[in-house]
Amino acid sequence: MSSFRILSLAALVASPALAESHATPHDAGLTYGVRPAYLISQMEDGALKDKLQSCVAQAPKVSKFSIGHRGAPLMFPEHTEESNRAAAAMGAGILECDVTFTADKELVCRHAQNDLHTTTDIVATDLGQKCTTPFAPASGDQTATAECRTSDLTLAEFMTLKPKMDAADRSATTPEAYLGGTADWRTDLYVDNATLMTHARSIELFDSLGADFTPELKSPSVEMPFDGFSQQDYAQKLIDAYKDAGIDASRVWPQSFNLDDVLYWIEAEPEFGAQAVYLVEWTDGFDEQSADTWLQDFAALKEQGVNYLAPSMNMLLTVEENGDIGASAYALAAKEAGLDLIAWTLERSGPLKTGGGWYYQSVTEAIDRDGDYFEVLDVVAQDVGVIGVFSDWPATVTYYANCMGL
């Protein structure tokens, strides 16, 4: 581990020069940190471990195979400037803003329109009374509750909130206690003075960091149209922000779980629509090896102009007869139809010793150690052939991509 080149992420994240410069950061300023080396040390002995260990002396380089998922939220509050600066410092070549809207129809970066109660301090502020469901304390068998939406606030009000790690203490009897609950495999070390972002600010920041863009149009929690603001208005406003900023469409991969959004972009904004990403996820009854359970018609998607499909990680993996992790029939069929695949989300599950949780439910029996992150990554890269991987800690994917020449 000592042979790794270790730089201070905190210094890079706090650097005004990095935040404000409009030049692409030089590769020499990047860092893997210590985590890739730790994960390699936890792998079973074999050819993949040997290959990854052979790259310990390499200098980090930016890779578009490495996509920052909400920045680097394994340790930084998601969708903050600091989280994305950290992701860029780890070589993520593409960064994500999940896009939703405020009461005055301004676009901001949040994973969901209704997550302010777990990702900010709103319940402990005066604005908490404006929430769709203000905080109610735990009592008896009832857990603490709250639901706070960006659409409950104006942009000006939203920007007064303080971001935090995505968590809540459901046993809380006070709003202040409700702000706790951070998982023990995450940290609150980098919460202080974290900065919320508008969508426009994310474009400015990511461009200054030399990264490309993958904004996700989030499903509204409010009924649409919202005060005359239709779903198509919403989808168009996302694209207009990049046009207004002078960003070339070739640098933008707009995403949505709503196929209608993707088809709208293909029709109304064909340059952006050519790179629109249709997001899909594991649902009840899905079997990665049985086409009868698949909800997507890959040939039909291609005929409609969809070029990029982004399934959740569990949809792309299966356990082979010899007990190894392999590419699922679903993944291979999508590739055969000509769809480019993107995987999400590596390192979203914390320690893997108990099977990896939701993201790895198709291969739980083959997952029992943190080193399996690299085993999974190798399968989706080499056997599935994805073109990019979202990660909550992009250094892991960057290291792999650099080592493998992706």
Side-chain angles (χ1 to χ4, degrees):
M1 201 177 294
S2 61
S3 61
F4 267 104
R5 181 170 161 274
I6 302 173
L7 300 179
S8 169
L9 264 180
L12 286 168
V13 169
S15 169
L18 185 60
E20 297 171 8
S21 170
H22 288 274
T24 300
H26 194 276
D27 287 336
L30 304 181
T31 177
Y32 292 132
V34 299
R35 185 159 175 78
Y38 166 75
L39 294 178
I40 294 167
S41 75
Q42 299 300 303
M43 294 176 67
E44 291 185 353
D45 291 340
L48 178 59
K49 183 175 183 178
D50 292 343
K51 172 61 177 175
L52 294 172
Q53 285 179 326
S54 75
C55 296
V56 295
Q58 69 182 358
K61 295 182 179 180
V62 173
S63 173
K64 291 184 183 179
F65 187 79
S66 179
I67 307 171
H69 179 244
R70 317 182 203 178
L74 185 64
M75 297 181 72
F76 289 82
E78 64 184 47
H79 288 310
T80 59
E81 294 200 11
E82 293 73 18
S83 185
N84 282 285
R85 289 175 189 157
M90 289 185 258
I94 302 175
L95 298 174
E96 179 187 44
C97 169
D98 288 331
V99 178
T100 188
F101 57 86
T102 59
D104 44 355
K105 308 181 194 72
E106 296 297 332
L107 302 185
V108 295
C109 299
R110 287 290 89 195
H111 178 63
Q113 189 170 54
N114 63 338
D115 73 0
L116 294 183
H117 50 290
T118 62
T119 62
T120 75
D121 67 341
I122 187 170
V123 299
T125 74
D126 291 342
L127 291 173
Q129 294 308 306
K130 299 191 70 172
C131 291
T132 296
T133 305
F135 170 79
S139 178
D141 294 334
Q142 294 293 111
T143 60
T145 57
E147 184 189 357
C148 304
R149 302 173 178 176
T150 58
S151 53
D152 293 332
L153 309 176
T154 65
L155 176 60
E157 290 170 332
F158 169 82
M159 292 304 296
T160 68
L161 301 177
K162 295 181 179 179
K164 68 181 192 68
M165 297 300 282
D166 185 9
D169 183 348
R170 307 292 178 182
S171 67
T173 57
T174 66
E176 291 75 18
Y178 187 80
L179 301 180
T182 301
D184 58 10
W185 44 270
R186 289 187 170 140
T187 181
D188 291 317
L189 285 174
Y190 305 113
V191 169
D192 287 352
N193 298 314
T195 313
L196 292 173
M197 293 192 302
T198 64
H199 179 221
R201 173 54 183 158
S202 79
I203 296 172
E204 178 185 35
L205 177 66
F206 299 174
D207 192 35
S208 76
L209 295 171
D212 286 350
F213 314 84
T214 185
E216 180 187 337
L217 196 74
K218 302 304 295 188
S219 297
S221 298
V222 295
E223 185 176 346
M224 298 294 278
F226 174 75
D227 190 26
F229 188 55
S230 71
Q231 185 69 26
Q232 290 192 347
D233 293 336
Y234 180 30
Q236 186 63 50
K237 188 165 187 172
L238 180 148
I239 298 299
D240 287 345
Y242 294 91
K243 296 166 71 173
D244 293 345
I247 301 298
D248 193 273
S250 65
R251 297 180 60 198
V252 184
W253 285 264
Q255 314 169 71
S256 180
F257 280 97
N258 183 346
L259 180 58
D260 288 341
D261 294 336
V262 175
L263 297 179
Y264 172 80
W265 290 324
I266 291 169
E267 177 66 24
E269 294 286 352
E271 289 188 334
F272 289 90
Q275 293 192 162
V277 180
Y278 180 31
L279 295 157
V280 295
E281 63 184 333
W282 182 292
T283 55
D284 289 345
F286 177 84
D287 181 338
E288 76 281 1
Q289 297 298 90
S290 174
D292 292 339
T293 69
W294 305 344
L295 299 180
Q296 289 76 50
D297 181 332
F298 304 132
L301 289 175
K302 283 296 294 183
E303 289 177 4
Q304 291 173 294
V306 178
N307 295 316
Y308 295 88
L309 184 69
S312 52
M313 192 76 71
N314 42 28
M315 301 174 77
L316 301 176
L317 304 171
T318 196
V319 177
E320 298 178 328
E321 289 184 4
N322 62 3
D324 291 341
I325 299 171
S328 70
Y330 177 93
L332 296 177
K335 286 285 292 183
E336 180 66 24
L339 293 166
D340 284 322
L341 300 181
I342 300 169
W344 56 274
T345 297
L346 200 72
E347 303 204 66
R348 188 77 189 152
S349 296
L352 298 185
K353 63 183 179 181
T354 58
W358 185 87
Y359 287 89
Y360 303 96
Q361 59 190 289
S362 59
V363 291
T364 296
E365 64 191 86
I367 299 284
D368 63 4
R369 62 183 69 201
D370 277 1
D372 288 332
Y373 274 124
F374 273 122
E375 301 286 354
V376 165
L377 186 53
D378 190 58
V379 170
V380 296
Q382 305 300 334
D383 298 342
V384 175
V386 300
I387 63 167
V389 176
F390 282 91
S391 178
D392 276 14
W393 199 247
T396 303
V397 178
T398 303
Y399 182 94
Y400 178 89
N402 289 174
C403 187
M404 299 297 182
L406 299 180

PDB file of all heavy atoms in Angstrom, residues 262-278:
ATOM      1  N   VAL A 262     -36.698  10.226 -22.533  1.00  0.00           N
ATOM      2  CA  VAL A 262     -35.638   9.867 -23.476  1.00  0.00           C
ATOM      3  C   VAL A 262     -36.126  10.054 -24.907  1.00  0.00           C
ATOM      4  O   VAL A 262     -35.420  10.636 -25.759  1.00  0.00           O
ATOM      5  CB  VAL A 262     -35.163   8.424 -23.228  1.00  0.00           C
ATOM      6  CG1 VAL A 262     -34.154   7.991 -24.290  1.00  0.00           C
ATOM      7  CG2 VAL A 262     -34.556   8.289 -21.823  1.00  0.00           C
ATOM      8  N   LEU A 263     -37.330   9.589 -25.195  1.00  0.00           N
ATOM      9  CA  LEU A 263     -37.881   9.713 -26.548  1.00  0.00           C
ATOM     10  C   LEU A 263     -38.142  11.175 -26.901  1.00  0.00           C
ATOM     11  O   LEU A 263     -37.989  11.575 -28.065  1.00  0.00           O
ATOM     12  CB  LEU A 263     -39.161   8.893 -26.672  1.00  0.00           C
ATOM     13  CG  LEU A 263     -38.994   7.377 -26.480  1.00  0.00           C
ATOM     14  CD1 LEU A 263     -40.341   6.670 -26.597  1.00  0.00           C
ATOM     15  CD2 LEU A 263     -37.991   6.795 -27.469  1.00  0.00           C
ATOM     16  N   TYR A 264     -38.514  11.978 -25.911  1.00  0.00           N
ATOM     17  CA  TYR A 264     -38.683  13.415 -26.158  1.00  0.00           C
ATOM     18  C   TYR A 264     -37.366  14.034 -26.596  1.00  0.00           C
ATOM     19  O   TYR A 264     -37.327  14.800 -27.579  1.00  0.00           O
ATOM     20  CB  TYR A 264     -39.225  14.128 -24.913  1.00  0.00           C
ATOM     21  CG  TYR A 264     -39.221  15.628 -25.074  1.00  0.00           C
ATOM     22  CD1 TYR A 264     -40.237  16.271 -25.786  1.00  0.00           C
ATOM     23  CD2 TYR A 264     -38.177  16.399 -24.561  1.00  0.00           C
ATOM     24  CE1 TYR A 264     -40.213  17.645 -25.974  1.00  0.00           C
ATOM     25  CE2 TYR A 264     -38.145  17.775 -24.741  1.00  0.00           C
ATOM     26  CZ  TYR A 264     -39.165  18.394 -25.452  1.00  0.00           C
ATOM     27  OH  TYR A 264     -39.132  19.754 -25.648  1.00  0.00           O
ATOM     28  N   TRP A 265     -36.289  13.724 -25.875  1.00  0.00           N
ATOM     29  CA  TRP A 265     -34.990  14.292 -26.243  1.00  0.00           C
ATOM     30  C   TRP A 265     -34.571  13.834 -27.642  1.00  0.00           C
ATOM     31  O   TRP A 265     -34.005  14.603 -28.414  1.00  0.00           O
ATOM     32  CB  TRP A 265     -33.933  13.896 -25.216  1.00  0.00           C
ATOM     33  CG  TRP A 265     -34.094  14.549 -23.877  1.00  0.00           C
ATOM     34  CD1 TRP A 265     -34.533  15.821 -23.627  1.00  0.00           C
ATOM     35  CD2 TRP A 265     -33.828  13.968 -22.597  1.00  0.00           C
ATOM     36  NE1 TRP A 265     -34.549  16.071 -22.273  1.00  0.00           N
ATOM     37  CE2 TRP A 265     -34.120  14.956 -21.621  1.00  0.00           C
ATOM     38  CE3 TRP A 265     -33.372  12.724 -22.172  1.00  0.00           C
ATOM     39  CZ2 TRP A 265     -33.954  14.730 -20.260  1.00  0.00           C
ATOM     40  CZ3 TRP A 265     -33.207  12.501 -20.809  1.00  0.00           C
ATOM     41  CH2 TRP A 265     -33.496  13.484 -19.866  1.00  0.00           C
ATOM     42  N   ILE A 266     -34.813  12.568 -27.951  1.00  0.00           N
ATOM     43  CA  ILE A 266     -34.449  12.042 -29.275  1.00  0.00           C
ATOM     44  C   ILE A 266     -35.178  12.810 -30.377  1.00  0.00           C
ATOM     45  O   ILE A 266     -34.587  13.143 -31.416  1.00  0.00           O
ATOM     46  CB  ILE A 266     -34.766  10.531 -29.355  1.00  0.00           C
ATOM     47  CG1 ILE A 266     -33.809   9.746 -28.444  1.00  0.00           C
ATOM     48  CG2 ILE A 266     -34.680  10.030 -30.789  1.00  0.00           C
ATOM     49  CD1 ILE A 266     -34.200   8.300 -28.250  1.00  0.00           C
ATOM     50  N   GLU A 267     -36.440  13.141 -30.134  1.00  0.00           N
ATOM     51  CA  GLU A 267     -37.243  13.840 -31.136  1.00  0.00           C
ATOM     52  C   GLU A 267     -36.961  15.343 -31.149  1.00  0.00           C
ATOM     53  O   GLU A 267     -36.765  15.936 -32.214  1.00  0.00           O
ATOM     54  CB  GLU A 267     -38.732  13.596 -30.852  1.00  0.00           C
ATOM     55  CG  GLU A 267     -39.686  14.334 -31.780  1.00  0.00           C
ATOM     56  CD  GLU A 267     -39.624  13.868 -33.206  1.00  0.00           C
ATOM     57  OE1 GLU A 267     -39.207  12.703 -33.444  1.00  0.00           O
ATOM     58  OE2 GLU A 267     -39.989  14.657 -34.114  1.00  0.00           O
ATOM     59  N   ALA A 268     -36.957  15.965 -29.972  1.00  0.00           N
ATOM     60  CA  ALA A 268     -36.890  17.430 -29.907  1.00  0.00           C
ATOM     61  C   ALA A 268     -35.472  17.975 -29.925  1.00  0.00           C
ATOM     62  O   ALA A 268     -35.242  19.097 -30.396  1.00  0.00           O
ATOM     63  CB  ALA A 268     -37.615  17.921 -28.646  1.00  0.00           C
ATOM     64  N   GLU A 269     -34.523  17.210 -29.409  1.00  0.00           N
ATOM     65  CA  GLU A 269     -33.128  17.647 -29.321  1.00  0.00           C
ATOM     66  C   GLU A 269     -32.235  16.495 -29.777  1.00  0.00           C
ATOM     67  O   GLU A 269     -31.537  15.862 -28.972  1.00  0.00           O
ATOM     68  CB  GLU A 269     -32.775  18.038 -27.883  1.00  0.00           C
ATOM     69  CG  GLU A 269     -33.503  19.271 -27.371  1.00  0.00           C
ATOM     70  CD  GLU A 269     -32.958  20.562 -27.986  1.00  0.00           C
ATOM     71  OE1 GLU A 269     -31.920  20.506 -28.682  1.00  0.00           O
ATOM     72  OE2 GLU A 269     -33.579  21.622 -27.758  1.00  0.00           O
ATOM     73  N   PRO A 270     -32.241  16.178 -31.075  1.00  0.00           N
ATOM     74  CA  PRO A 270     -31.571  14.962 -31.545  1.00  0.00           C
ATOM     75  C   PRO A 270     -30.080  14.882 -31.235  1.00  0.00           C
ATOM     76  O   PRO A 270     -29.567  13.776 -31.021  1.00  0.00           O
ATOM     77  CB  PRO A 270     -31.829  14.969 -33.058  1.00  0.00           C
ATOM     78  CG  PRO A 270     -32.263  16.361 -33.386  1.00  0.00           C
ATOM     79  CD  PRO A 270     -32.926  16.901 -32.165  1.00  0.00           C
ATOM     80  N   GLU A 271     -29.379  16.013 -31.195  1.00  0.00           N
ATOM     81  CA  GLU A 271     -27.955  15.945 -30.858  1.00  0.00           C
ATOM     82  C   GLU A 271     -27.759  15.464 -29.430  1.00  0.00           C
ATOM     83  O   GLU A 271     -26.853  14.672 -29.146  1.00  0.00           O
ATOM     84  CB  GLU A 271     -27.298  17.316 -31.058  1.00  0.00           C
ATOM     85  CG  GLU A 271     -27.148  17.720 -32.514  1.00  0.00           C
ATOM     86  CD  GLU A 271     -26.333  18.988 -32.672  1.00  0.00           C
ATOM     87  OE1 GLU A 271     -26.318  19.797 -31.724  1.00  0.00           O
ATOM     88  OE2 GLU A 271     -25.714  19.163 -33.738  1.00  0.00           O
ATOM     89  N   PHE A 272     -28.578  15.945 -28.515  1.00  0.00           N
ATOM     90  CA  PHE A 272     -28.519  15.486 -27.128  1.00  0.00           C
ATOM     91  C   PHE A 272     -29.180  14.116 -26.998  1.00  0.00           C
ATOM     92  O   PHE A 272     -28.726  13.263 -26.230  1.00  0.00           O
ATOM     93  CB  PHE A 272     -29.201  16.498 -26.196  1.00  0.00           C
ATOM     94  CG  PHE A 272     -28.436  17.777 -26.021  1.00  0.00           C
ATOM     95  CD1 PHE A 272     -28.645  18.844 -26.873  1.00  0.00           C
ATOM     96  CD2 PHE A 272     -27.505  17.913 -25.008  1.00  0.00           C
ATOM     97  CE1 PHE A 272     -27.949  20.034 -26.718  1.00  0.00           C
ATOM     98  CE2 PHE A 272     -26.798  19.094 -24.832  1.00  0.00           C
ATOM     99  CZ  PHE A 272     -27.018  20.165 -25.702  1.00  0.00           C
ATOM    100  N   GLY A 273     -30.253  13.901 -27.739  1.00  0.00           N
ATOM    101  CA  GLY A 273     -30.972  12.639 -27.661  1.00  0.00           C
ATOM    102  C   GLY A 273     -30.155  11.451 -28.109  1.00  0.00           C
ATOM    103  O   GLY A 273     -30.379  10.323 -27.650  1.00  0.00           O
ATOM    104  N   ALA A 274     -29.188  11.685 -28.992  1.00  0.00           N
ATOM    105  CA  ALA A 274     -28.336  10.582 -29.463  1.00  0.00           C
ATOM    106  C   ALA A 274     -27.554   9.959 -28.318  1.00  0.00           C
ATOM    107  O   ALA A 274     -27.152   8.788 -28.393  1.00  0.00           O
ATOM    108  CB  ALA A 274     -27.386  11.080 -30.542  1.00  0.00           C
ATOM    109  N   GLN A 275     -27.323  10.726 -27.245  1.00  0.00           N
ATOM    110  CA  GLN A 275     -26.597  10.215 -26.081  1.00  0.00           C
ATOM    111  C   GLN A 275     -27.497  10.099 -24.855  1.00  0.00           C
ATOM    112  O   GLN A 275     -26.996   9.944 -23.732  1.00  0.00           O
ATOM    113  CB  GLN A 275     -25.381  11.099 -25.780  1.00  0.00           C
ATOM    114  CG  GLN A 275     -24.327  11.034 -26.848  1.00  0.00           C
ATOM    115  CD  GLN A 275     -22.999  11.661 -26.447  1.00  0.00           C
ATOM    116  OE1 GLN A 275     -21.983  11.391 -27.066  1.00  0.00           O
ATOM    117  NE2 GLN A 275     -22.962  12.489 -25.417  1.00  0.00           N
ATOM    118  N   ALA A 276     -28.803  10.155 -25.044  1.00  0.00           N
ATOM    119  CA  ALA A 276     -29.713  10.021 -23.913  1.00  0.00           C
ATOM    120  C   ALA A 276     -29.650   8.604 -23.357  1.00  0.00           C
ATOM    121  O   ALA A 276     -29.586   7.629 -24.108  1.00  0.00           O
ATOM    122  CB  ALA A 276     -31.131  10.361 -24.341  1.00  0.00           C
ATOM    123  N   VAL A 277     -29.678   8.499 -22.053  1.00  0.00           N
ATOM    124  CA  VAL A 277     -29.512   7.220 -21.354  1.00  0.00           C
ATOM    125  C   VAL A 277     -30.832   6.818 -20.712  1.00  0.00           C
ATOM    126  O   VAL A 277     -31.393   7.562 -19.897  1.00  0.00           O
ATOM    127  CB  VAL A 277     -28.414   7.334 -20.268  1.00  0.00           C
ATOM    128  CG1 VAL A 277     -28.241   5.997 -19.550  1.00  0.00           C
ATOM    129  CG2 VAL A 277     -27.095   7.802 -20.879  1.00  0.00           C
ATOM    130  N   TYR A 278     -31.306   5.625 -21.076  1.00  0.00           N
ATOM    131  CA  TYR A 278     -32.516   5.077 -20.469  1.00  0.00           C
ATOM    132  C   TYR A 278     -32.116   4.228 -19.269  1.00  0.00           C
ATOM    133  O   TYR A 278     -31.467   3.194 -19.404  1.00  0.00           O
ATOM    134  CB  TYR A 278     -33.283   4.251 -21.497  1.00  0.00           C
ATOM    135  CG  TYR A 278     -34.564   3.620 -20.997  1.00  0.00           C
ATOM    136  CD1 TYR A 278     -35.343   4.217 -20.011  1.00  0.00           C
ATOM    137  CD2 TYR A 278     -35.006   2.409 -21.538  1.00  0.00           C
ATOM    138  CE1 TYR A 278     -36.515   3.635 -19.569  1.00  0.00           C
ATOM    139  CE2 TYR A 278     -36.188   1.819 -21.112  1.00  0.00           C
ATOM    140  CZ  TYR A 278     -36.935   2.430 -20.121  1.00  0.00           C
ATOM    141  OH  TYR A 278     -38.104   1.850 -19.676  1.00  0.00           O
TER     142      TYR A 278
END
